[in-house]
Amino acid sequence: MLKTQEEIYKIIINYQGSFGDDYIEFLYSGDLLNELNELNLSPEQLKHSGNKFIRIQKSILSFSIFENEDDFLKISVVERVKSYNGDILIISKKNGNSISYINNISYINFNKENSFHFFTNAFYYVVFINFLKSLDNEKEDAFHFIDYFNKDNKKIVLTSLSEKSRIIIKYKNVIPSFSANVDYSKYVIDFLKLFEENNNQITKFLKNSFIEFASRYDFDNRLPNIFTNLTKIIETALLNFEIYINNLSIDKLKEEYNKYKSKYFNDISDILSKLTQKIIGLPIVFATTLFVINKITNDNTDNNSLFLYILIAIIFISSIFINSLLKIHYKDLLSLHLSFTRDYNTLKNNNFFRKYPDEIEDFKDIKDNVDSKISILKYVTIGYYWLLNLSNLLLIYFILKKVSLNIFDWNTWAIFCGLVCVLILLVIGHLIITYKKDRKSVA
């Protein structure tokens, strides 16, 4: 068949054949007559307008032949071609390339082109329209995907029960010239498969998605745009169906999750506020204490040493209390992180998000935001712990330097007291920082 098509194509090009409705005509030539006879095409000789012509009937050919793509791209023509044989040759004089369709394989200039979908797109556009026609169900108790289909007027009507509105789709006999680089046939096949499952729930969502996409375009362009967007229509329908069967509402879930996130943010903000007050107050307390120490040591009274020892005890005891509060704040942060992570993992493991992982991205952004805030607050808590205790250690050291002791050498006493304070503070810090059990459960 390919060789026959190529020979006829060369004859038409070489002898400048002109196309009529049912025939191809040439100016008379003896050589042409011989070639046509060799191909058993039963050429007819006739004379009109003072010239002799040779004519062959298209019906004598074993395939359908067209002068250009426009002659082929008609619904009525495609239906006729498919019912006749299915093999096609388009001369396509406009761009100089012939295109063929033989045994369900496409050719350009008689070379096979597997990625050339001009013919299959045209065929499946007609299949799509005819399938929509078949969905025009007249039963009163049945679900109607298509509420009205008029093939003569080329008019399709779909009614949306949820919005109490209807959409009208008009189409023409002319088939749009779809991109030959895209195989739209597989989208139509996926669309048809949804109806094979006999699941009215899926097709109801498909109808809503169908109407929603159709409403974006004007009457004349609706059907071609629906055809090219079938994959998006199907994806939207399946997504909404999954939301339905999993009893989820993404918008509502996002709203509730944002409220839930706000609760965590409020708890985090409360901890941050408390830490901020402590951090802001630290340099003020430190400067004030230094001032008091300096003032007392400049007064030569007998009660100086006793007062300074009391001050050391107050600094030490207050450090213990504040470190205990820091320990509570740190535990609260770990508990918040653990709770929030568990809630997120519960949400993520929902069957819906397993099928549609892209839909979890907004929630993941929220989780990352909370994780970041908690992580920063952990470092702030630990940093404040070291700042507080080192500051208090310096104050104790400064006080001891100001006190005269006769028990033994001053430097030895100062170093001894300093080491004891450091040891105690490090033990308290260890209780705050090394929450191995909690940290493992959060990680």
Side-chain angles (χ1 to χ4, degrees):
M1 179 64 72
L2 181 64
K3 184 178 179 181
T4 302
Q5 283 195 4
E6 188 171 5
E7 290 176 345
I8 292 175
Y9 171 78
K10 289 178 181 179
I11 289 174
I12 293 172
I13 295 299
N14 293 337
Y15 293 97
Q16 299 180 357
S18 60
F19 281 72
D21 292 338
D22 302 318
Y23 59 85
I24 305 172
E25 193 172 79
F26 308 86
L27 281 171
Y28 180 84
S29 166
D31 293 337
L32 170 63
L33 186 61
N34 291 333
E35 290 184 34
L36 294 175
N37 282 321
E38 287 178 4
L39 293 173
N40 297 318
L41 295 180
S42 304
E44 304 173 31
Q45 300 182 49
L46 62 154
K47 185 176 182 181
H48 59 82
S49 303
N51 293 313
K52 292 176 67 176
F53 295 89
I54 298 176
R55 177 181 292 182
I56 59 172
Q57 298 296 320
K58 292 182 181 178
S59 59
I60 200 71
L61 301 173
S62 57
F63 54 87
S64 300
I65 188 168
F66 302 92
E67 185 175 10
N68 52 55
E69 295 97 328
D70 293 339
D71 291 342
F72 168 73
L73 289 175
K74 294 181 176 62
I75 294 175
S76 55
V77 170
V78 169
E79 288 180 332
R80 176 174 54 81
V81 168
K82 290 297 289 182
S83 64
Y84 168 59
N85 180 297
D87 291 342
I88 305 163
L89 170 62
I90 298 179
I91 303 301
S92 190
K93 291 181 179 179
K94 292 180 180 179
N95 56 27
N97 293 321
S98 68
I99 53 178
S100 307
Y101 190 73
I102 304 171
N103 294 327
N104 300 321
I105 299 174
S106 296
Y107 297 83
I108 298 179
N109 289 332
F110 307 102
N111 295 311
K112 185 191 298 184
E113 291 289 343
N114 292 326
S115 59
F116 183 68
H117 305 291
F118 171 82
F119 293 103
T120 53
N121 287 341
F123 293 147
Y124 273 89
Y125 183 72
V126 177
V127 168
F128 180 59
I129 292 174
N130 289 333
F131 180 73
L132 294 179
K133 171 67 176 76
S134 70
L135 296 177
D136 183 13
N137 195 332
E138 295 181 356
K139 294 181 180 179
E140 291 184 356
D141 58 345
F143 165 71
H144 292 240
F145 187 90
I146 300 296
D147 296 286
Y148 176 72
F149 192 109
N150 190 313
K151 195 168 185 178
D152 296 328
N153 295 328
K154 297 178 176 55
K155 179 179 174 182
I156 306 171
V157 178
L158 292 91
T159 302
S160 173
L161 296 177
S162 59
E163 298 181 7
K164 296 182 180 179
S165 61
R166 68 175 186 168
I167 194 85
I168 298 174
I169 301 172
K170 294 182 178 179
Y171 65 97
K172 301 176 182 178
N173 186 46
V174 175
I175 299 175
S177 182
F178 300 110
S179 172
N181 296 322
V182 181
D183 184 8
Y184 292 108
S185 66
K186 57 186 179 182
Y187 304 154
V188 176
I189 293 172
D190 291 339
F191 182 81
L192 301 184
K193 283 181 179 177
L194 293 178
F195 291 86
E196 293 175 359
E197 299 176 9
N198 294 320
N199 189 333
N200 279 347
Q201 293 296 339
I202 293 178
T203 51
K204 285 177 181 177
F205 285 101
L206 187 61
K207 181 176 181 177
N208 290 335
S209 178
F210 197 94
I211 291 173
E212 193 273 327
F213 270 84
S215 63
R216 301 178 185 180
Y217 308 100
D218 56 58
F219 289 138
D220 295 330
N221 293 316
R222 277 177 180 165
L223 196 60
N225 280 290
I226 288 172
F227 182 76
T228 56
N229 284 289
L230 269 180
T231 180
K232 294 180 181 178
I233 292 172
I234 293 170
E235 287 174 359
T236 302
L238 292 177
L239 176 63
N240 291 332
F241 180 67
E242 287 295 332
I243 291 173
Y244 168 75
I245 63 176
N246 285 283
N247 196 25
L248 285 175
S249 169
I250 292 299
D251 292 335
K252 184 178 180 181
L253 195 60
K254 287 180 181 178
E255 181 181 351
E256 292 178 352
Y257 200 74
N258 275 312
K259 290 179 181 178
Y260 196 55
K261 172 203 69 175
S262 298
K263 171 186 174 296
Y264 283 103
F265 279 176
N266 289 335
D267 292 340
I268 292 171
S269 297
D270 184 52
I271 296 174
L272 178 60
S273 176
K274 293 175 182 177
L275 286 174
T276 302
Q277 292 175 6
K278 291 181 176 64
I279 293 171
I280 293 175
L282 182 62
I284 298 174
V285 173
F286 186 80
T288 303
T289 305
L290 283 177
F291 175 78
V292 171
I293 294 170
N294 190 59
K295 181 72 174 174
I296 292 173
T297 53
N298 287 336
D299 295 336
N300 295 319
T301 62
D302 295 334
N303 294 325
N304 283 353
S305 297
L306 178 61
F307 184 85
L308 290 175
Y309 291 141
I310 293 173
L311 184 60
I312 290 175
I314 291 172
I315 292 172
F316 187 76
I317 293 171
S318 65
S319 295
I320 294 175
F321 279 112
I322 294 175
N323 285 331
S324 297
L325 291 175
L326 288 176
K327 176 181 178 180
I328 293 172
H329 292 333
Y330 196 84
K331 287 184 68 176
D332 288 343
L333 286 172
L334 292 175
S335 179
L336 279 173
H337 193 193
L338 177 62
S339 178
F340 192 80
T341 301
R342 283 174 177 169
D343 291 339
Y344 172 78
N345 289 335
T346 300
L347 179 70
K348 185 178 67 173
N349 290 330
N350 186 283
N351 187 53
F352 170 79
F353 290 110
R354 289 181 179 178
K355 288 187 177 181
Y356 299 94
D358 291 343
E359 296 297 321
I360 198 69
E361 287 303 316
D362 289 339
F363 300 98
K364 185 177 183 300
D365 291 340
I366 294 173
K367 179 184 179 298
D368 291 342
N369 193 1
V370 173
D371 287 347
S372 176
K373 289 180 181 293
I374 291 177
S375 178
I376 292 172
L377 274 179
K378 285 181 184 178
Y379 289 118
V380 169
T381 304
I382 295 171
Y384 177 71
Y385 155 76
W386 286 110
L387 181 62
L388 171 69
N389 290 294
L390 288 175
S391 299
N392 288 339
L393 185 62
L394 286 174
L395 287 175
I396 293 172
Y397 178 77
F398 184 71
I399 292 172
L400 292 175
K401 288 282 287 183
K402 293 288 185 178
V403 177
S404 290
L405 296 174
N406 296 320
I407 300 175
F408 48 78
D409 181 68
W410 153 248
N411 289 326
T412 304
W413 171 253
I415 292 170
F416 174 76
C417 291
L419 288 174
V420 171
C421 291
V422 169
L423 179 62
I424 294 173
L425 292 174
L426 286 176
V427 170
I428 296 172
H430 179 76
L431 295 176
I432 295 176
I433 298 170
T434 56
Y435 259 123
K436 292 185 178 180
K437 181 178 179 180
D438 290 332
R439 296 174 83 176
K440 286 181 180 178
S441 62
V442 173

